[in-house]
């Protein structure tokens, strides 16, 4: 049985235009929703996570409820509505290109971003549709993972935006 070997199957794409033909040729797979992350708004340092992670977003409204005396009816009076920050969770895995080798380069890159002490610039179809371009990372986890060449990760935080204070 013949096997097809693709050159550098887990290369980290550096373009902010994925998926594109070159990336498909290089990796052999089309990412449905590539997740890009970086520190600068001009996307010059955007890093596309090499294996497509799972991204979830949760939103909620902030409602002020008042229980006031009323002639009839049940329930509370809702006085003020505003939208809370979105909660964002990104779960994925890094896999080393070489059997028995830890994915140290990818973890070092991720560590640099997570410890930057500022909001990260993010982009994927889901967050783009919701208008989320910044993520304030609250916590991250590198859980136990089988196999030396594999490492799971989980990042969670909140949507952020630039405000003009008066």
């Amino acid at each position: 049985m013949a096997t097809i070997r693709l050159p550098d199957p887990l290369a980290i794409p550096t373009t902010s235009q994925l998926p594109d033909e070159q990336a498909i040729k290089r990796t052999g797979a089309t990412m449905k929703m590539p997740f890009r992350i970086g520190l600068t708004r001009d996307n010059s340092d955007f890093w596309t996570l090499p294996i497509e992670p799972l991204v979830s977003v949760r939103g909620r409204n902030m409602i002020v409820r008042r229980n006031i005396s009323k002639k009839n009816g049940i329930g509370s009076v809702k006085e003020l509505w505003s939208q809370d920050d979105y909660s964002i969770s990104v779960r994925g895995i890094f896999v080393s290109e070489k059997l028995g080798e830890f994915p140290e380069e990818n973890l070092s890159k991720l560590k640099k971003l997570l410890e930057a002490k500022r909001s990260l610039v993010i982009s994927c179809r889901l967050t783009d549709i919701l208008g989320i371009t910044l993520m304030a990372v609250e916590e991250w986890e590198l859980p136990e993972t089988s196999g030396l060449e594999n490492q799971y990760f989980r990042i969670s935080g909140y949507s952020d935006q630039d405000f003009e204070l008066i």
Side-chain angles (χ1 to χ4, degrees):
M1 174 161 49
T3 55
I4 299 171
R5 289 193 52 93
L6 297 171
D8 206 7
L10 295 177
I12 299 169
T14 56
T15 175
S16 63
Q17 299 300 315
L18 285 178
D20 65 3
E21 289 182 29
Q22 292 301 322
I24 294 168
K25 286 178 187 174
R26 194 169 48 250
T27 63
T30 303
M31 289 188 185
K32 303 295 183 197
M33 192 167 62
F35 187 84
R36 298 172 188 94
I37 189 168
L39 293 172
T40 61
R41 286 209 179 257
D42 66 2
N43 304 339
S44 61
D45 68 342
F46 252 16
W47 176 38
T48 302
L49 295 181
I51 298 176
E52 191 170 343
L54 299 174
V55 179
S56 62
V57 178
R58 186 182 69 198
R60 75 179 218 167
N61 290 320
M62 303 294 290
I63 303 170
V64 175
R65 299 182 329 162
R66 301 278 185 219
N67 290 307
I68 59 172
S69 215
K70 46 197 164 291
K71 195 171 192 174
N72 56 18
I74 59 170
S76 60
V77 173
K78 285 67 171 181
E79 288 186 357
L80 179 67
W81 295 62
S82 66
Q83 188 173 348
D84 198 2
D85 297 322
Y86 288 105
S87 296
I88 305 165
S89 176
V90 181
R91 293 183 303 134
I93 187 170
F94 292 128
V95 178
S96 177
E97 295 178 35
K98 296 179 185 171
L99 189 64
E101 185 178 288
F102 193 66
E104 190 172 327
E105 183 180 333
N106 287 331
L107 285 170
S108 295
K109 236 180 219 190
L110 184 64
K111 177 185 182 290
K112 179 184 172 191
L113 292 168
L114 296 174
E115 294 181 349
K117 297 182 182 174
R118 63 189 215 198
S119 291
L120 302 176
V121 180
I122 61 170
S123 179
C124 74
R125 284 185 188 170
L126 179 61
T127 57
D128 291 348
I129 289 168
L130 296 171
I132 302 169
T133 58
L134 294 174
M135 178 180 179
V137 176
E138 182 175 45
E139 64 180 12
W140 58 92
E141 178 181 16
L142 301 170
E144 63 281 349
T145 309
S146 299
L148 181 63
E149 54 279 323
N150 307 315
Q151 180 60 60
Y152 288 115
F153 65 89
R154 185 180 65 81
I155 305 166
S156 61
Y158 301 99
S159 60
D160 196 10
Q161 58 185 309
D162 296 323
F163 290 101
E164 188 174 318
L165 302 177
I166 53 174

